Every structure is written in C-alpha cells, then in structure tokens.
Amino acid sequence: MKSENIYRLFGVDDRIAALADEAEEGLRERFLEIDRIAEYNQLKVIRAMQENGISGACMLETTGYGYDDLGRDKLERVYADIFHTEDALVRSQIVCGTHALSVALFGNTRPGDEILSPVGMPYDTLQTVLGLSGARGSLRDYGVGFRYVDLLQDGSFDLEGIRKAISEKTRLVEIQRSRGYADRRTFSVEEIGELIRYIRSIKKDVIIMVDNCYGEFTEITEPSEAGADMIVGSLIKNPGGGIAPVGGYIAGTEECVGNAAARLTGPGLEKELGPSLGNNRLLYQGIFLSPTVTAGAVKGAILAAAVYEKLGFRTAPKAADPRYDIIEAVTLGSPEKVVSFCRGVQRAAAVDAFVAPEPSPMPGYDSDIIMANGSFISGSSIELSADGPLRDPYTVFFQGGLTYQHSKLGVCMSAEQLLEDGFLDDLA
Ligand SMILES: *Cc1c(COP(=O)(O)O)cnc(C)c1O
C-alpha cells in the first residue's frame, strides 16, 4: 500500500506525502546509524538495571516522608551508572527541567559566588532563575552573580573571552548542551569535553554543570563522561521515555548531588526523604524506553529538516548535519507561518488534535510563545510538539514523537497546514 492512502485520511496532500516518502528514502543509512546508537544505549540501560538488582519490589510505592524507598534509591543508582557518576538525584518532587537546574545552581553556590556561562546566554527560564528578569527569589536576590561569554561569530568558543571572564569569584560554570531557543549549534559531548578541559586548565576546582536537556541518549556517551561534575535534565524530555509523568534528575559527584539534595528537601534531610508515590515503575519504564524513544525523535527531527529543506526553508541543523539533541529549528520568517506550522503539528496529535494553539505569555519567558502539544503527559516535549517564541526571525522548534511514525505524521501535517494557509504556493 502506498502511504499516501492512509495520509489522505488526515487530509495530507499527496504531494506532501510523496515528498516525505522521498526524503525518508534518502535517509536510510543515517537512520541505521541512529539505530546503532539506540542499541548501545538500550543495552547500557539494561546492564545498569541488572547490575543494581532491580526487582519487582522496586516498583512499589512509598508515601509521606518516603524513608527507605528501595525503588527510588536503586533508580538513582541506575542513573548514576548510566551516566557514569558517583551519585544521582532522580525525583518526582522536581517538577521540570528549570526546577532541576535551579536546585542544582542554588545548592552549589553561595553568596558572593559567580556563575559563568561560556556558551552565550542560557535558556530563557534559566535567565529568570539567575535574576536577569527581576523575578523574586532569584540567585541574584541571594547575592550570586552571573556572567556570560558569547560564542564567536563562527559558533566556536571564545577561549580568550572565557579566560578573561573566569575570576576568583567564579564558582560554577554552566554549559548548555542543546541550543534551546537560541540561534546556535548544539554541542557534541566531545566539544563539551574540550571546553571543560580548557576551563579546568584555567581554574581547576570550578564546578562544571551541564544543562543536558534534550541531549540524553543522542550519543553513546554523556557530558558526565567528558569531565562535567554534574549533568541536569527533565524527565518529561528524553530520559523519561514519554512514560515518566513528572520529574527531573541531577547526576554527578557525591558533593554536587548532596548539595542539590540539601536544597531540594532540606539541610540534613537530603536524599533520605522524598516519597516516590506511585511513580517508581513509570520512571523505570521511562528510562528503559528512552534510548529507542529518543532515537525515534532524532529520526523525526532529521526528516523534518529534509522535508523543509525540499520546501526551501532554512533549517538547523541541516538534514545531513550531525545531531546531538532531538530539536529541529525551521525558520519560517513570519509569525503567521509559525502559528500555521504549530497548528498543523497539533492536528497530528493523538490527544487534543482538535485544539488550535494560540500564542500567549508563559511563565519564565519574555516573548509570547506558541506551543503545539497534544500529549499524554502535560507539556511533555519528548512527545510530538512544536513551539517557538513569536520573535524575529520566526523560527519554530519541532521535536519529539514517542514513535518515529508519529513524528513523520507531524512533519506532514505541519506542511499540510502551511499549504492550506497559502504559504506553500510553489509546491511542485
Ligand atoms: C527544556 C529545557 C530546559 C528546561 O525547561 P522546562 O520546561 O523547565 O523543563 C532548560 N534548558 C534547555 C536547553 C531546555 O531545552
């Protein structure tokens, strides 16, 4: 059966379905490479679970204080083994990626310290945590300073600028792996390793933290294996595998993780408290599925690039470029096209397909944001989603899909909506 037939049920124009099939045809070898990464990471996860003796009892729930939560404690060992770190904090009480990053930063800095971002301005919500937008309770309110060094014009690290920015006060360096909503590349683990070695050659004992959001399992190693003291991420992105209903993780040295735990629960309480509620099984299933779910999302992102390149739009990364996260940025050039693209993706959702997303203000972000997110887990961006700030150059960020097939439908529906709204006039 030609796939156009089933795509027609969704209203996808035959020309768009054919374009997607053709793009896919050209990506076979690339997809094979991604399958190999998934295979490696899948076995890495299974091995970590076996080595830690995960059993049926680990799936049980705890309530209240959550003392002696076997499943929670062993899950943290599993994360530590997967990421090759001394320790990890993996909790349902961490509500999102920004919260995990905030806990890690507050826990590991003290008044008078300075945080340095050597890769430009960090992710929008992090700027708010740091105190750049005047929100109450920020790190700035507690006397923790912040500096950043922009990347050079060609996207490389400004080594001289970084050297000058590191001082007596620099306590923690925050490196964001994925591009977020910024106009820059996502860094490979190897590049992050080089940057870490350079920073350590200037200041040996500085804490190096990597914002690992969207990066987990896109390569066979993680930044914690390249010298980072701490890596941080969200369980409603890659490592939750689309199954974790909430949560975040901080994996790193015993010292960094302990400091973060003291902040999350309380001094003296640290990791001893924190009930897993009914979430242990979901978090185990999530990390188990994450390598293949992430691989599907990476393939979907590559397909999006290939299709939108054929349609004449600027994409980043390009279909042929290497990938270190699950995000595809497509520059559409006008707010109307961003809205159209997101509405198309929403129409591809299994949940809430009938909803029409609208741009609106979001907590922690400065511009209005539009989000297409018809997901099982509210706001989950490992699930098929698209979003973007309504600001020049009107770039939309496409990501996720719990299966590659769903991602492909999302790509087709976004193009279909652009066509219906009159933005693809020269489609062959
Ligand atoms: C998603 C993301 C975060 C955190 O966002 P939340 O919505 O709070 O989970 C932080 N940094 C980057 C690079 C991200 O992609």
Side-chain angles (χ1 to χ4, degrees), residues 251-290:
T253 62
E254 194 278 324
E255 174 78 15
C256 286
V257 171
N259 281 332
R263 173 78 194 188
L264 178 68
T265 54
L269 309 180
E270 299 194 6
K271 293 180 69 190
E272 300 296 314
L273 270 69
S276 56
L277 305 169
N279 294 334
N280 275 338
R281 176 174 59 78
L282 300 171
L283 268 49
Y284 279 111
Q285 284 181 304
I287 190 82
F288 174 81
L289 289 173
S290 176

Side-chain angles (χ1 to χ4, degrees), residues 116-118 147-152 156-167 195 198-199 201-202:
L116 170 70
S117 166
R147 257 172 198 267
Y148 69 98
V149 178
D150 269 325
L151 297 169
L152 295 175
S156 63
F157 304 125
D158 178 0
L159 299 180
E160 206 33 55
I162 293 168
R163 173 184 295 281
K164 287 194 191 121
I166 294 174
S167 71
L195 179 58
Y198 177 73
I199 289 165
S201 76
I202 299 163

Side-chain angles (χ1 to χ4, degrees), residues 20 28 56 65 73 81 144 185 223 267 288 305 328 366 402:
R28 278 178 192 280
Y65 293 111
D73 292 348
D81 286 356
V144 176
R185 282 177 317 116
F288 174 81
E328 183 57 35
D366 278 342
L402 295 186

Side-chain angles (χ1 to χ4, degrees), residues 52-322:
N52 285 287
I54 302 309
S55 68
C58 296
M59 309 300 148
L60 301 177
E61 70 171 55
T62 59
T63 55
Y65 293 111
Y67 289 128
D68 302 318
D69 189 323
L70 177 75
R72 179 200 67 201
D73 292 348
K74 285 209 174 189
L75 180 68
E76 291 178 335
R77 288 308 319 156
V78 167
Y79 265 71
D81 286 356
I82 291 168
F83 292 142
H84 295 88
T85 56
E86 289 172 11
D87 203 355
L89 185 67
V90 185
R91 299 294 168 116
S92 303
Q93 283 78 19
I94 299 177
V95 301
C96 64
T98 306
H99 187 201
L101 290 157
S102 178
V103 163
L105 290 172
F106 272 101
N108 283 284
T109 53
R110 297 293 179 265
D113 287 347
E114 208 168 76
I115 294 170
L116 170 70
S117 166
V119 296
M121 261 296 184
Y123 191 75
D124 300 53
T125 58
L126 251 282
Q127 297 176 26
T128 306
V129 169
L130 289 161
L132 307 185
S133 56
R136 63 181 148 194
S138 70
L139 282 153
R140 176 186 282 176
D141 277 0
Y142 288 86
V144 176
F146 171 67
R147 257 172 198 267
Y148 69 98
V149 178
D150 269 325
L151 297 169
L152 295 175
Q153 206 69 45
D154 66 357
S156 63
F157 304 125
D158 178 0
L159 299 180
E160 206 33 55
I162 293 168
R163 173 184 295 281
K164 287 194 191 121
I166 294 174
S167 71
E168 270 300 287
K169 287 180 164 180
T170 313
R171 171 83 180 134
L172 187 148
V173 173
E174 199 246 356
I175 302 170
Q176 184 179 309
R177 180 175 178 181
S178 170
R179 58 175 292 167
Y181 289 151
D183 189 15
R184 65 140 166 106
R185 282 177 317 116
T186 289
F187 304 119
S188 67
V189 169
E190 193 183 337
E191 286 172 295
I192 291 172
E194 283 163 19
L195 179 58
I196 291 174
R197 280 194 294 282
Y198 177 73
I199 289 165
R200 290 228 193 274
S201 76
I202 299 163
K203 189 164 184 178
K204 196 159 159 283
D205 60 350
V206 72
I207 298 169
I208 299 185
M209 165 176 140
V210 173
D211 175 351
N212 207 26
C213 282
Y214 285 133
E216 300 91 352
F217 297 132
T218 57
E219 297 182 70
I220 61 170
T221 58
E222 301 289 340
S224 40
E225 294 163 73
D229 296 299
M230 171 168 58
I231 62 174
V232 182
S234 163
L235 299 197
I236 63 167
K237 292 180 178 171
N238 309 15
I243 305 292
V246 68
Y249 75 86
I250 297 163
T253 62
E254 194 278 324
E255 174 78 15
C256 286
V257 171
N259 281 332
R263 173 78 194 188
L264 178 68
T265 54
L269 309 180
E270 299 194 6
K271 293 180 69 190
E272 300 296 314
L273 270 69
S276 56
L277 305 169
N279 294 334
N280 275 338
R281 176 174 59 78
L282 300 171
L283 268 49
Y284 279 111
Q285 284 181 304
I287 190 82
F288 174 81
L289 289 173
S290 176
T292 51
V293 169
T294 301
V298 171
K299 288 179 190 172
I302 296 172
L303 181 75
V307 166
Y308 276 89
E309 280 160 28
K310 284 178 189 287
L311 291 171
F313 290 94
R314 186 154 67 85
T315 60
K318 301 235 177 300
D321 288 343

